[in-house]
Amino acid sequence: MFKHLKDKTRMQLLGYLFIAPAVIIFILFQLSPIILSIVLSFTNYNGYTFSNINWTGLNNFKYMFQYDEYFFKSLKNMGIYCFAIIPTNIVLSLILASLLSKKTKSNTLFRAIYYIPCLTSAIATAVVWKYLYDPNVGLVNRMLATVGLDPITLSDIGTAKLAIIIVTLWMGLGGNIVMYIAAIQNVPDSLYEAAKIEGANSFQIFRKVTIPLIRPVTVFILTMLLISTPQMFEQVLILTGINSISVDTQTPVLMIYNNITQTGGLASLALVESLVLFALIILVTLITQRVNKETYF
Amino acid sequence: MIEYRTQLHKGKIILHKGFVLTIKILFGLVFLLPFYWALVTSIRPAEDVISDTINLIPTRVDWSNYIRVYTKGGLLKAIKNTVIMTTLGLLLNLSLCSLAGYAFARMKFKGRDVIFRIMMLGMMIPSIVTLLPSLLIIDVLNLYGKWLGVVLPGAAGMFNIFFLRQFFLTLPEELAESARIDGAGEFTIFFRIYLPLVKPALATIAIFTFQGNWNSFLWPYLILPSDQPVIATFVKNMEATGDYGLAMAASMLATIPIVIVFLLFQRYFIKGMSISGIKG
C-alpha cells in the first residue's frame, strides 16, 4: 500500500492507518461524549430529542446546588465508602500478599482461591451476597447468630453500608493481592540477606525493606482505587438499589444511572452530576500524584 | 543448652507456620464460602433453601432450580447473546489493539506520543460521564439494538493498547530493519515477525477482554431491546423474582464459565495482573 510514495511518508501514512480504528473509536465514545457532556450540561436536554432544546446557562448547576440534596447525600456516602474501603483494601492485600509471597505449591493454590472473587460479574456477586445477608435464611446472619452477634441486614441504616463495604472489599482484594505478590517477589533476595546479616527480624525487614521497595505498586493500587471506588455501582444497585433506605446507601453513579434510565429522571441534571463526580476524581488523582512526587524528591 | 535453644527455635517456627497457615485457610474460606453456599443452594430443592438448619453438605442433589431457570425463558437467548457479544469484543480488541499498540511502539509518525498520551488520559474518565452522550451517538449512528452498537465503544480498550505497546517496546528494532532490507513490507513485518512474538500478551488481553465482556451489564442492557438479555441482565431478572433458588442457579450459570476459563488460563491472568502493577 502507498508503494508509489517515499519511504518516510509511506511509513507515516501506515502509522496513521494502524491507529485509525482505535482513534476513531476514542473520538466517538470518549472525546466527543466528554465534550457533549459539558456542552449539554448548559442546556435543558431531556435525553431523548433535540427538538425543544434551549440554552439554560448555569441553571442545571444552580438547581443541583439548591435542590439536589440526594446527590450531596450520595457524595457523602461515597466519601464514607472510600474511607472505609481504600485503606482496608491496601492493608489487607499487602498482608495477605506477604503471606503468599514464597513460591510454593500451596501458595499458588491460595493465590488462585483469593483471586476467584475478582472474576465474576459484580451483578452475580451482589446477587449471591444479597442471599447471604437475608435476615432469615442468609448464611452470614445465621453464622453471626450462632456466635451471638447482631445480624447485618440490608434494610437497616446501621448495617447496610457495612454490608456493601464488605462485598466491595471481598470482590476487590484478589487483583491487588496478585499485584503485591509480584512486587514482593521482585525485590532482590540480596537485600533481604543483607538485612538479615544486620540482625533485623522478619517484621523489621518487612517494614524497612519490603514496604519502601514496593511503594510504586502501592501508589498504583491507591490511584486505581481512588478512581474505581467513587464509581461503585452494580453492587449497590442490587443490594440496596430499591429498598426503603436506598438514599442512605446510594452512590453518585447509581443516582446518575437513575436519572438517565428512569422515566421522570432529569437527563441534564445527570450530566451535571456526572461532571461533578468526574471533577472530584480528577482532583483527588492529581493530589495523589502531587503528594507522591514530593515524597520521592 | 544450645540444643534446647534450637528446639525452642524450631518450636517457634512451627508455631509461626501453623499460625500463618491458619490465617491463609481462614481467608481462603472467606473467599470460597459464598460461592460454595450459592452452588449448594442452587442444587437444593426449594424447601431445603428456607429450612432452619445450616447444611453445608447437601444431602440430595436436585436440579429443579436449573430446570426452572431454563423454563422461565430467556436463558438460552442470554447465553447466545453473551457469547456473540464476547466473541465480537474479543476479535475486535485483539485486532484493533495490536495494530494500535504496535504503531504506538514501533512506527514513526508525527504526533504519535501526543495522541497516545491523550488516549491514555481517557482511562481516567468514569464511564458514567460518557454514558448519556454515548447513547446519543449510538442513536445518531443508528446502532440501537445492533451488535455493533453493543461492542463498538469497547472495541479498542485503552488498557489493551497500553499493555500491547509495552510488549512491542521490549522487542528489538533490528528485526524490522533486517526484514526491510530483505524487501518485506510493513504489513508483513507486523503480521509475520512482531505479532507472533507477543502471543503471550495477546493471550493475556484476550482473557481480560473475555472477562470484561462476559460480565458486562449496563451497556448491553441499555443498547439491546429488553427481550434480548445478556447473562448479567438475566441474573438480575432472576434475582428480581425474589426466589433464591432461581437467583443462585442463574448466578452460578454466569460464574462457572469464567471460573473454568480462569482455571485453564490461570498463568495469563496472574501474569497480566502482575505486569500491570509493576509496569503501571
Side-chain angles (χ1 to χ4, degrees):
Chain A
M1 205 181 281
F2 310 132
K3 282 254 153 67
H4 57 286
L5 295 167
K6 258 190 270 168
D7 274 0
K8 216 178 157 192
T9 341
R10 239 187 94 224
M11 188 74 171
Q12 291 243 8
L13 280 173
L14 278 174
Y16 292 125
L17 191 72
F18 272 47
I19 63 165
V23 170
I24 291 169
I25 290 167
F26 174 79
I27 292 173
L28 277 178
F29 296 105
Q30 297 275 331
L31 194 62
S32 9
I34 274 287
I35 296 167
L36 272 172
S37 264
I38 295 170
V39 172
L40 290 174
S41 70
F42 296 102
T43 68
N44 60 354
Y45 177 56
N46 60 14
Y48 303 101
T49 67
F50 280 117
S51 51
N52 289 316
I53 199 161
N54 285 311
W55 289 105
T56 53
L58 289 170
N59 272 5
N60 291 321
F61 291 87
K62 276 185 201 151
Y63 180 87
M64 188 194 72
F65 280 106
Q66 272 172 359
Y67 303 108
D68 203 6
E69 51 177 323
Y70 284 167
F71 182 63
F72 287 97
K73 177 90 184 161
S74 76
L75 284 177
K76 201 182 130 197
N77 294 337
M78 177 190 96
I80 294 170
Y81 290 134
C82 286
F83 273 106
I85 289 166
I86 295 173
T88 320
N89 185 319
I90 290 179
V91 171
L92 271 180
S93 314
L94 183 57
I95 291 173
L96 292 174
S98 73
L99 297 182
L100 299 184
S101 64
K102 275 211 188 87
K103 288 179 181 167
T104 63
K105 276 213 171 116
S106 71
N107 279 350
T108 314
L109 176 70
F110 279 118
R111 186 178 61 181
I113 291 171
Y114 291 9
Y115 189 74
I116 284 176
C118 285
L119 295 168
T120 51
S121 78
I123 295 286
T125 299
V127 167
V128 168
W129 277 87
K130 197 172 183 181
Y131 168 52
L132 296 177
Y133 285 135
D134 186 285
N136 301 312
V137 297
L139 185 63
V140 169
N141 288 323
R142 284 179 176 186
M143 284 163 77
L144 287 176
T146 43
V147 292
L149 288 169
D150 285 340
I152 297 178
T153 54
L154 297 167
S155 52
D156 179 86
I157 297 176
T159 56
K161 272 204 189 87
L162 176 67
I164 290 169
I165 289 167
I166 292 172
V167 176
T168 311
L169 280 169
W170 185 82
M171 55 191 215
L173 284 173
N176 295 343
I177 291 172
V178 170
M179 277 192 239
Y180 266 136
I181 291 175
I184 292 171
Q185 287 174 348
N186 246 17
V187 175
D189 282 334
S190 56
L191 289 173
Y192 288 129
E193 274 150 31
K196 258 186 212 156
I197 291 165
E198 298 283 321
N201 64 33
S202 50
F203 179 70
Q204 284 170 324
I205 294 176
F206 184 64
R207 219 170 61 109
K208 300 275 179 177
V209 180
T210 313
I211 290 182
L213 281 168
I214 60 171
R215 210 192 124 96
V217 176
T218 305
V219 174
F220 178 74
I221 290 175
L222 176 68
T223 313
M224 288 297 134
L225 283 171
L226 283 169
I227 294 175
S228 65
T229 318
Q231 297 186 55
M232 278 166 59
F233 163 60
E234 284 145 320
Q235 64 269 47
V236 192
L237 173 74
I238 295 288
L239 289 172
T240 60
I242 42 166
N243 73 11
S244 54
I245 57 149
S246 54
V247 172
D248 296 280
T249 52
Q250 77 179 341
T251 56
V253 173
L254 185 56
M255 264 216 81
I256 297 163
Y257 163 82
N258 284 337
N259 264 333
I260 292 175
T261 55
Q262 281 176 0
T263 39
L266 292 163
S268 54
L269 187 63
L271 289 171
V272 175
E273 290 169 345
S274 65
L275 288 174
V276 168
L277 178 68
F278 186 26
L280 279 174
I281 290 176
I282 289 181
L283 188 72
V284 172
T285 312
L286 287 179
I287 291 172
T288 339
Q289 281 182 357
R290 218 355 116 66
V291 168
N292 282 298
K293 247 180 210 145
E294 273 174 14
T295 41
Y296 275 128
F297 295 110
Chain B
M1 189 65 193
I2 292 169
E3 211 170 81
Y4 169 72
R5 255 199 196 165
T6 48
Q7 268 185 0
L8 194 72
H9 187 64
K10 261 188 196 163
K12 255 189 181 169
I13 288 178
I14 290 169
L15 207 70
H16 177 75
K17 274 197 174 156
F19 178 65
V20 167
L21 189 65
T22 316
I23 293 181
K24 284 184 202 171
I25 292 171
L26 214 68
F27 271 92
L29 287 177
V30 168
F31 286 124
L32 275 189
L33 207 54
F35 286 120
Y36 179 73
W37 187 244
L39 187 68
V40 168
T41 304
S42 74
I43 54 170
R44 260 189 188 146
E47 61 269 24
D48 287 16
V49 174
I50 46 168
S51 79
D52 286 334
T53 46
I54 308 176
N55 278 320
L56 279 179
I57 296 150
T59 43
R60 48 188 171 155
V61 174
D62 180 309
W63 297 103
S64 62
N65 286 321
Y66 288 92
I67 294 164
R68 286 193 304 135
V69 163
Y70 174 73
T71 49
K72 277 256 169 193
L75 174 67
L76 292 185
K77 231 190 246 173
I79 292 175
K80 192 190 96 192
N81 287 342
T82 312
V83 168
I84 294 175
M85 173 173 76
T86 307
T87 313
L88 288 175
L90 255 179
L91 293 177
L92 282 166
N93 268 285
L94 283 176
S95 45
L96 303 186
C97 296
S98 52
L99 281 171
Y102 175 74
F104 282 129
R106 279 286 171 257
M107 296 178 98
K108 291 182 183 72
F109 51 92
K110 248 184 222 154
R112 180 185 76 176
D113 295 342
V114 179
I115 299 172
F116 179 70
R117 273 209 199 116
I118 292 172
M119 286 175 72
M120 284 303 108
L121 280 179
M123 282 207 277
M124 258 178 55
I125 303 172
S127 50
I128 195 77
V129 179
T130 54
L131 184 65
L132 187 60
S134 295
L135 291 172
L136 185 69
I137 288 166
I138 288 290
D139 197 22
V140 170
L141 297 174
N142 202 13
L143 290 176
Y144 256 110
K146 297 190 180 133
W147 284 116
L148 199 57
V150 177
V151 294
L152 196 61
M158 294 307 144
F159 175 78
N160 294 342
I161 295 174
F162 169 78
F163 192 81
L164 284 169
R165 175 180 175 266
Q166 298 301 92
F167 260 82
F168 282 118
L169 279 175
T170 62
L171 301 174
E173 257 175 294
E174 291 78 32
L175 290 176
E177 278 155 29
S178 56
R180 265 181 215 123
I181 293 166
D182 292 344
E186 293 304 317
F187 281 100
T188 319
I189 293 172
F190 169 66
F191 280 113
R192 291 279 167 83
I193 298 172
Y194 282 103
L195 204 54
L197 289 172
V198 295
K199 265 188 201 149
L202 289 175
T204 302
I205 68 160
I207 48 171
F208 282 114
T209 311
F210 172 83
Q211 185 191 6
N213 276 284
W214 184 268
N215 290 340
S216 99
F217 160 70
L218 187 53
W219 188 252
Y221 168 69
L222 293 174
I223 296 298
L224 292 173
S226 57
D227 64 337
Q228 293 291 341
V230 291
I231 198 80
T233 45
F234 182 76
V235 171
K236 189 173 176 289
N237 293 341
M238 288 300 113
E239 195 272 327
T241 62
D243 182 328
Y244 285 130
L246 281 182
M248 291 311 113
S251 296
M252 283 301 106
L253 289 171
T255 303
I256 288 165
I258 187 91
V259 172
I260 290 174
V261 170
F262 171 68
L263 294 176
L264 289 176
F265 302 105
Q266 218 195 107
R267 183 158 80 89
Y268 296 111
F269 271 96
I270 301 293
K271 262 228 177 87
M273 282 316 283
S274 312
I275 291 168
S276 56
I278 289 167
K279 287 196 176 162

